[in-house]
């Protein structure tokens, strides 16, 4: 039985879905801000919209609280007009099924090898509750993306959710052609960020990065080679203009002037705290070189050096 595919609405403004794939702390928010300047690209960053915290205090990247943001008020009304009950406190776009532990685990457990993923697909199709729930969540994602694209005027929607499993669901069930931007960063930098932001010991932080990196490696095997583009955070910071022009070519949209002041226009981007920074300059964060000790680097190389080398980074502790 073929995968159930969501039909695109006849009036959908979206022609293509672009998806940023990466482990956390790899520069996806910076890349999202830069791409959002292009008039053909509509985005709100991480469409999965998890962990917004205190929604009454959650700030939109435009500077307003999300509950009082004019953009989100307009989007909410448009969704209600489409028969979708929506409010910013509950996007309902993350694939999960609370209240049913086994089904929730089936939908959310990390991306594995082809045998497991075939078995997962089969179990979802054979379970009417799980299958219909997944279908409703994806329909909701489609509706929100279309409303955002209508308001912002883009024909390409960018989902910067990063999550490999979410990309797998888009690939299996989404209504649009998908182009994947696989963003990589030296795993030592990402590990350092995990340690700093989540107060993790080095061993746990390395494992977090390695698991995420290996899931990215697995999901890109499902993507036709011409539909994926690989870039690094380091290159994005060093040569943003040249690299973004290549990304525009990959996305098959006109090259637009690349302004490194990525906050020069209003955005409404969800995601990590970097979106709220006042910085207007692209600066390479390689603080891991000073923050990770010789022992930390040795632990990283022992636990994940091979994965880092597969991404094109040296195993040197320099």
């Amino acid at each position: 039985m073929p995968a159930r595919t969501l039909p695109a609405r006849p009036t959908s403004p979206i022609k293509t879905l672009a998806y940023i794939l990466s482990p956390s702390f790899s520069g996806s928010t910076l890349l999202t801000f830069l791409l959002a300047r292009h008039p053909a690209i509509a985005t709100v960053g991480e469409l999965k919209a998890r962990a917004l915290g205190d929604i009454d205090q959650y700030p939109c990247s435009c500077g307003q609280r999300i509950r009082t943001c004019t953009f989100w008020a307009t989007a909410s009304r448009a969704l209600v007009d489409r028969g979708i009950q929506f409010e910013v406190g509950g996007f309902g776009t993350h694939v999960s099924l609370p209240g049913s532990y086994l089904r929730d685990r089936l939908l959310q457990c990390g991306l594995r090898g082809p045998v497991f993923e075939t078995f997962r697909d089969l179990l979802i199709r054979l379970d009417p509750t799980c299958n219909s729930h997944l279908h409703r969540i994806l329909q909701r994602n489609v509706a929100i993306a279309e409303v955002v694209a209508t308001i912002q005027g883009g024909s390409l929607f960018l989902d910067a959710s990063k999550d490999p499993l979410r990309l797998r669901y888009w690939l299996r069930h989404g209504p649009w052609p998908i182009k994947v931007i696989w963003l990589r960063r030296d795993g030592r930098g990402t590990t350092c960020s995990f340690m700093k932001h989540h107060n993790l010991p080095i061993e746990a932080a390395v494992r977090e990065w390695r698991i995420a990196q290996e899931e990215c490696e697995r999901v890109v095997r499902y993507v036709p080679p011409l539909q994926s583009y690989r870039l690094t955070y380091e290159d994005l910071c060093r040569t943003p203009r040249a690299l973004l022009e290549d990304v525009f070519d990959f996305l098959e949209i006109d090259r637009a002037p690349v302004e490194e002041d990525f906050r020069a226009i209003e955005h409404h981007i969800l995601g990590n705290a970097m979106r709220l920074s006042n910085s207007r300059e692209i600066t390479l964060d390689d603080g891991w070189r000073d923050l990770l000790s010789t022992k930390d680097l040795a632990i990283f190389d022992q636990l994940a050096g091979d994965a880092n080398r597969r991404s094109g980074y040296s195993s040197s502790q320099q």
Side-chain angles (χ1 to χ4, degrees):
M1 181 186 298
R4 185 179 185 183
T5 302
L6 299 176
R9 293 171 61 90
T11 58
S12 176
I14 299 172
K15 306 304 179 187
T16 305
L17 174 73
Y19 192 92
I20 295 179
L21 172 71
S22 73
S24 296
F25 306 115
S26 295
S28 63
T29 303
L30 170 62
L31 179 58
T32 300
F33 268 101
L34 291 169
L35 291 175
R37 290 185 56 89
H38 195 291
I41 297 176
T43 188
V44 290
E46 297 184 12
L47 184 58
K48 66 182 180 182
R50 292 189 69 190
L52 296 186
D54 183 353
I55 199 63
D56 290 322
Q57 299 301 317
Y58 187 85
C60 179
S61 64
C62 70
Q64 303 179 66
R65 300 295 181 190
I66 195 169
R67 281 205 185 278
T68 58
C69 171
T70 303
F71 170 84
W72 286 110
T74 301
S76 298
R77 288 193 298 270
L79 286 162
V80 170
D81 289 343
R82 291 178 61 154
I84 296 172
Q85 294 305 308
F86 174 87
E87 70 100 21
V88 292
F91 274 66
T93 48
H94 177 60
V95 178
S96 64
L97 211 170
S100 178
Y101 175 78
L102 291 178
R103 290 184 174 112
D104 191 54
R105 289 297 300 154
L106 176 65
L107 289 172
Q108 289 204 70
C109 69
L111 196 80
R112 312 292 174 83
V115 173
F116 180 89
E117 291 307 319
T118 298
F119 187 57
R120 187 206 309 258
D121 291 341
L122 178 63
L123 289 179
I124 290 173
R125 288 202 306 267
L126 292 177
D127 184 334
T129 299
C130 202
N131 194 31
S132 61
H133 183 74
L134 174 60
H135 189 71
R136 284 195 299 272
I137 292 174
L138 292 170
Q139 282 184 316
R140 190 174 181 87
N141 276 269
V142 168
I144 294 172
E146 289 182 340
V147 163
V148 169
T150 299
I151 297 171
Q152 295 184 349
S155 60
L156 182 150
F157 185 82
L158 174 67
D159 183 356
S161 293
K162 307 186 297 289
D163 180 11
L165 183 58
R166 179 179 175 85
L167 173 58
R168 172 82 167 124
Y169 287 133
W170 272 128
L171 290 166
R172 295 270 309 159
H173 306 283
W176 308 297
I178 297 178
K179 288 182 174 285
V180 178
I181 303 171
W182 184 8
L183 177 63
R184 294 167 295 162
R185 182 186 179 189
D186 192 314
R188 292 165 290 192
T190 306
T191 293
C192 189
S193 293
F194 274 118
M195 293 171 68
K196 182 166 55 177
H197 290 276
H198 296 308
N199 195 28
L200 293 177
I202 178 68
E203 295 85 355
V206 173
R207 291 190 185 98
E208 286 282 344
W209 175 77
R210 177 165 190 148
I211 288 169
Q213 181 68 15
E214 290 180 343
E215 287 189 19
C216 290
E217 292 174 358
R218 293 185 190 117
V219 77
V220 293
R221 295 170 188 160
Y222 296 99
V223 183
L226 295 179
Q227 298 305 112
S228 67
Y229 180 88
R230 302 182 184 191
L231 70 155
T232 70
Y233 161 74
E234 293 82 5
D235 285 344
L236 178 65
C237 292
R238 292 179 181 128
T239 58
R241 287 186 171 86
L243 192 144
L244 285 172
E245 287 180 351
D246 286 346
V247 174
F248 296 152
D249 290 345
F250 164 69
L251 295 175
E252 300 180 275
I253 55 180
D254 293 337
R255 289 188 176 188
V258 176
E259 298 292 340
E260 294 187 28
D261 181 359
F262 50 86
R263 299 185 188 277
I265 65 171
E266 183 175 280
H267 302 90
H268 305 279
I269 291 174
L270 310 174
N272 71 25
M274 179 266 175
R275 68 199 176 86
L276 305 175
S277 166
N278 291 324
S279 173
R280 292 177 173 269
E281 297 182 354
I282 300 173
T283 304
L284 174 66
D285 178 3
D286 59 355
W288 63 269
R289 297 179 183 277
D290 297 320
L291 295 173
L292 295 183
S293 67
T294 300
K295 181 180 178 181
D296 290 335
L297 292 170
I299 291 171
F300 177 88
D301 198 55
Q302 178 185 10
L303 297 178
D306 57 339
N308 211 33
R309 288 188 288 275
R310 287 198 302 272
S311 286
Y313 293 95
S314 168
S315 60
S316 167
Q317 295 183 12
Q318 300 301 316

